[in-house]
Amino acid sequence: MAAIQDAFVEAVGPCLGEIRRPDRGQAVRTAARTVIGSCVRRAATCRFWPDELTWTAWAAETSGMVLAYLADPGIVGAPGYAARES
């Protein structure tokens, strides 16, 4: 799992400046862990709890959610919000 997270973080590197979260590194690690956990869960439960999505469609939906999170600056006053000015 750590190798997958490291690959995700490395792949995001060239786009790090586009991330609007207060702590960019933490945001990327959080996104990576969320995607990894979601993949594992879906793989383990898809036979018993089908969602009618192909893996490609699921990946597109998940990518959209991750990109929205990384593009969102966060909530004013939340921990870490002031860590970086907009």
Side-chain angles (χ1 to χ4, degrees), residues 18-20 31 60-72:
E18 296 178 44
I19 296 172
R20 296 184 60 208
E61 292 292 324
T62 302
S63 297
M65 288 191 297
V66 168
L67 291 172
Y69 165 74
L70 294 174
D72 182 73

Side-chain angles (χ1 to χ4, degrees), residues 32-57:
R33 290 182 193 128
T34 300
V35 170
I36 293 165
S38 185
C39 286
V40 170
R41 183 183 178 287
R42 184 170 194 263
T45 64
C46 66
R47 288 185 334 159
F48 309 106
W49 192 17
D51 57 17
E52 308 302 324
L53 293 173
T54 64
W55 275 97
T56 301

